[in-house]
Amino acid sequence: MASDDEGQGDLHAPEYLAYRMLKSLNELDDSPISRSKFWKLCCLADRYVQNEFDHDIGFPRHWYKYGELGEAHSINRSILNAPSARFWQGQELYPDREIPDSDFDISSDEQMFILRAVERIVNRFGKDSVDEIKEHQYENHPPNEFIKAYSQLRAQFEVADLDRQALLPDFDRGGREQYIEDMLDEMVVSFPEEEYGEVHDLYLRWDDTMRMMLNDDADAVELKQFLDVFIERLSEITIRFRHSQHIPKSRLERWQEEKPIKKEKLETEIQQKREQYLNRREPSGVLNSVSEAFDETVVEDM
Amino acid sequence: MSRSAFLDKGILLGFCFTVDTHHRPCLKYLTQEGIEPYITEEIDAAFERNKSRLSTRYQEHILNHVSQLTKSNFEGEVGPMELRKIRKGLLDPGNNAFHFLEYYYREIAPNVTSVYELKNQLRDLARDIEQLSLDRKEEFDELVQEWERGGEYPDVEKALSEIEGEDMWVCIDAHDLAVNKENETELATTDPKDMVDNGREDLILKNTSISKIIDLAIKPADRWT
């Protein structure tokens, strides 16, 4: 591994890839480079090196929310200059300085693999938006079908203004509610129960809350926000552990420490949203129709 | 003349988590004229603990069953044969919600016409269960007042030492209430085994200022009638 958890240390192949990527993007045009775009392109370049040259340069990356990112805290960030962005919240990136190739501790083969990968990826994706790159990632490299399914649902919320019925082609059949329910069903079918077992019950409660919101005509903005809440926490609790490579032990330990806090937060967030919708719901009467058997169960468990 | 009543935790559980059986006598008791019900200050924590243990757990079982149904090959219309197959293949007898889900499939589900409707009813059941406990807790909070024990009673503690753990402290709390109230104080419980039977009632009444123990447990003969 090239660096410690503070982003310091020597310069190795992962730093070379990051440095070359940044330089190439910088030379491509004058547009500022977002962190998100930069780290996603680094992942694509690393994948290119692995697939085309069957070589692993030890680049730290992990899946997070709707795409794959380079793990910024796990490489030496002294190569990056990251001032506040002018056109969005966050930072824009530039190479910090000219660094001669000889300053990087890498073999000539690795150097060649990385240069080719960076050239290829920048040519193909350099002018694409972050959303286009994200879409490429979940279409082509999803760790599983569940991630693909939720990313597609998010993309639908982003592209279609559902409340104004500006519809995508598939959206028409059966109306808004049915369409989203079908996508939620796709998520249920593809949820990897064994792999994500620790969030399975919470996931089912989240899924049921989404459906309750839909029944109550919640708008697309609120549905998207509630999807984002779940996916962010899912990423922090499970996804970044399960779908990652070359993350330093110290970083994994820090994530592990945060895990129970993130899980508790998710529980609270789901519960608050459920109560908001339960409060204005009329009981359906199904419980009353099974009340005798239900009460027997409760008394038994009490 | 009004009287005070200290409630043990079972009253909260019976009131909030059962639809009818325990709820009915608890409601009748709490709303009778002249009664001032009190409850321990830890009541919210006790509610949350039992909500996770009871309604949230049932809900998880139901939602898990619905997800198994979504993953299965059952879709479109359902008739008696499909319902039988679902009961046999997808209902887990080890599941806490099994008893009332079985009842649902036997008595209610035959009226549904599609898997979609079936899943929606099951989701409604899960939501009803959660909603029931939340609504009931709100109602309960309006009927009762919190009592915070002010005194220490080492002699009473010693006298009641055969009553284990939490139940003994319920008696001490009720005793503290009785000491501080001018009117009579009774202790209402759904747990006769620990508070009434085998000489417990005499032991408690003899060693505390509690004037009466009210047993609100559902007797086997009262059940499901």
Side-chain angles (χ1 to χ4, degrees):
Chain A
M1 182 47 53
S3 84
D4 59 25
D5 196 37
E6 301 307 315
Q8 301 299 314
D10 296 336
L11 301 176
H12 294 274
E15 284 79 12
Y16 189 66
L17 184 147
Y19 174 70
R20 278 288 157 192
M21 177 62 72
L22 201 49
K23 232 170 131 42
S24 294
L25 288 171
N26 198 232
E27 284 159 8
L28 189 66
D29 60 29
D30 287 337
S31 338
I33 305 154
S34 74
R35 290 173 68 90
S36 176
K37 180 170 176 176
F38 167 72
W39 288 115
K40 282 181 168 51
L41 291 182
C42 285
C43 292
L44 290 176
D46 181 48
R47 282 181 178 273
Y48 188 87
V49 172
Q50 285 184 354
N51 296 337
E52 290 299 313
F53 307 113
D54 196 20
H55 185 77
D56 186 350
I57 63 165
F59 187 80
R61 57 178 154 93
H62 65 91
W63 200 272
Y64 191 77
K65 288 159 63 169
Y66 306 99
E68 194 178 32
L69 289 172
E71 215 300 290
H73 293 86
S74 305
I75 78 160
N76 182 340
R77 297 190 300 283
S78 69
I79 56 167
L80 307 174
N81 179 10
S84 295
R86 288 161 293 170
F87 306 112
W88 60 82
Q89 279 193 329
Q91 294 165 312
E92 53 190 53
L93 301 182
Y94 301 95
D96 184 63
R97 60 194 186 280
E98 279 296 324
I99 307 174
D101 285 356
S102 56
D103 280 11
F104 291 90
D105 181 15
I106 51 170
S107 68
S108 55
D109 274 354
E110 276 184 329
Q111 191 178 347
M112 186 265 288
F113 298 156
I114 290 169
L115 286 174
R116 279 209 203 161
V118 168
E119 186 189 2
R120 180 69 182 247
I121 296 302
V122 171
N123 280 343
R124 165 71 179 78
F125 299 101
K127 291 194 180 280
D128 285 359
S129 69
V130 177
D131 284 342
E132 285 167 326
I133 298 167
K134 224 186 297 185
E135 191 177 334
H136 172 85
Q137 283 186 318
Y138 74 69
E139 285 292 344
N140 293 280
H141 313 295
N144 54 45
E145 287 302 305
F146 177 71
I147 288 180
K148 192 171 174 177
Y150 77 59
S151 300
Q152 279 168 342
L153 177 59
R154 170 64 149 52
Q156 298 288 10
F157 283 138
E158 281 196 328
V159 176
D161 181 347
L162 303 178
D163 288 320
R164 276 189 262 134
Q165 302 288 297
L167 310 180
L168 293 176
D170 287 347
F171 188 73
D172 251 347
R173 290 174 284 123
R176 165 189 190 264
E177 195 174 324
Q178 186 59 54
Y179 180 77
I180 299 173
E181 275 187 34
D182 287 348
M183 297 198 85
L184 289 171
D185 279 351
E186 270 182 45
M187 285 172 64
V188 170
V189 169
S190 57
F191 186 88
E193 275 182 50
E194 245 176 61
E195 221 180 346
Y196 299 175
E198 61 189 318
V199 281
H200 187 228
D201 286 336
L202 278 174
Y203 161 64
L204 292 180
R205 281 170 68 74
W206 170 84
D207 169 76
D208 186 57
T209 311
M210 280 290 273
R211 291 171 201 263
M212 199 158 44
M213 292 164 73
L214 266 179
N215 294 160
D216 202 48
D217 288 330
D219 64 34
V221 175
E222 193 185 354
L223 289 165
K224 179 170 158 279
Q225 277 170 352
F226 195 54
L227 171 68
D228 284 344
V229 162
F230 178 72
I231 299 307
E232 183 168 346
R233 299 284 174 240
L234 180 71
S235 300
E236 290 162 339
I237 298 165
T238 299
I239 286 178
R240 65 181 174 182
F241 291 93
R242 295 280 174 182
H243 312 297
S244 60
Q245 63 161 37
H246 302 303
I247 308 293
K249 198 167 162 252
S250 59
R251 192 76 185 141
L252 287 171
E253 282 168 356
R254 193 171 297 183
W255 289 351
Q256 194 68 39
E257 280 168 24
E258 291 171 3
K259 213 187 213 191
I261 304 161
K262 304 292 183 187
K263 204 170 167 188
E264 208 178 305
K265 271 191 175 174
L266 177 60
E267 273 174 27
T268 309
E269 284 155 347
I270 294 174
Q271 191 56 32
Q272 281 172 349
K273 187 63 84 178
R274 284 191 77 75
E275 288 185 19
Q276 180 191 331
Y277 277 84
L278 284 169
N279 274 338
R280 53 187 196 228
R281 169 185 181 268
E282 282 298 314
S284 72
V286 183
L287 176 60
N288 278 338
S289 68
V290 299
S291 64
E292 274 190 30
F294 177 77
D295 281 2
E296 283 171 1
T297 303
V298 177
V299 171
E300 195 73 30
D301 289 343
M302 261 162 56
Chain B
M1 174 80 174
S2 70
R3 60 197 201 281
S4 303
F6 194 85
L7 315 177
D8 87 1
K9 203 181 61 196
I11 309 289
L12 165 84
L13 303 189
F15 188 92
C16 296
F17 294 104
T18 64
V19 179
D20 199 29
T21 47
H22 271 60
H23 175 74
R24 203 165 6 126
C26 292
L27 178 68
K28 195 174 162 197
Y29 177 74
L30 293 178
T31 52
Q32 64 185 291
E33 211 173 313
I35 196 110
E36 290 171 14
Y38 289 89
I39 195 99
T40 165
E41 55 177 338
E42 287 155 5
I43 200 65
D44 289 338
F47 174 77
E48 285 306 324
R49 236 182 2 258
N50 284 284
K51 186 166 166 285
S52 309
R53 196 171 68 84
L54 299 168
S55 69
T56 306
R57 195 139 132 240
Y58 302 141
Q59 190 183 53
E60 284 168 0
H61 286 313
I62 298 166
L63 295 178
N64 195 39
H65 173 65
V66 175
S67 95
Q68 298 307 321
L69 206 46
T70 304
K71 288 178 176 180
S72 73
N73 294 324
F74 294 105
E75 54 184 358
E77 292 184 0
V78 279
M81 202 168 76
E82 287 80 15
L83 288 174
R84 220 175 12 253
K85 279 185 187 165
I86 292 171
R87 276 168 70 183
K88 220 172 158 189
L90 297 179
L91 273 191
D92 173 9
N95 171 331
N96 284 57
F98 177 76
H99 178 58
F100 62 86
L101 282 179
E102 248 278 317
Y103 181 88
Y104 167 79
Y105 271 100
R106 219 171 43 237
E107 303 294 332
I108 312 297
N111 298 319
V112 305
T113 53
S114 67
V115 174
Y116 182 73
E117 194 187 344
L118 180 69
K119 288 197 289 186
N120 280 344
Q121 272 203 354
L122 287 164
R123 288 184 187 286
D124 272 335
L125 174 60
R127 293 167 195 169
D128 282 355
I129 291 171
E130 187 172 6
Q131 196 172 6
L132 174 85
S133 60
L134 294 172
D135 290 351
R136 290 278 177 80
K137 176 64 169 46
E138 238 179 83
E139 203 184 327
F140 187 81
D141 286 344
E142 281 172 19
L143 292 170
V144 302
Q145 300 172 61
E146 275 186 25
W147 181 257
E148 191 178 348
R149 179 164 23 102
E152 289 191 22
Y153 307 95
D155 292 345
V156 182
E157 276 180 49
K158 199 175 166 196
L160 302 183
S161 60
E162 72 172 66
I163 304 175
E164 281 174 13
E166 208 178 322
D167 291 330
M168 196 263 282
W169 291 109
V170 168
C171 296
I172 303 283
D173 285 340
H175 170 68
D176 184 65
L177 176 69
V179 167
N180 287 286
K181 289 280 172 185
E182 282 179 9
N183 56 7
E184 287 200 335
T185 296
E186 55 198 37
L187 170 62
T189 181
T190 54
D191 181 14
K193 193 170 130 283
D194 289 319
M195 301 292 204
V196 179
D197 300 345
N198 302 317
R200 282 287 168 84
E201 185 171 12
D202 290 342
L203 178 76
I204 295 166
L205 295 181
K206 197 175 142 198
N207 291 287
T208 67
S209 300
I210 299 166
S211 58
K212 204 173 177 185
I213 296 186
I214 305 293
D215 177 6
L216 290 175
I218 299 290
K219 311 287 182 294
D222 303 333
R223 286 190 183 185
W224 339 126
T225 56

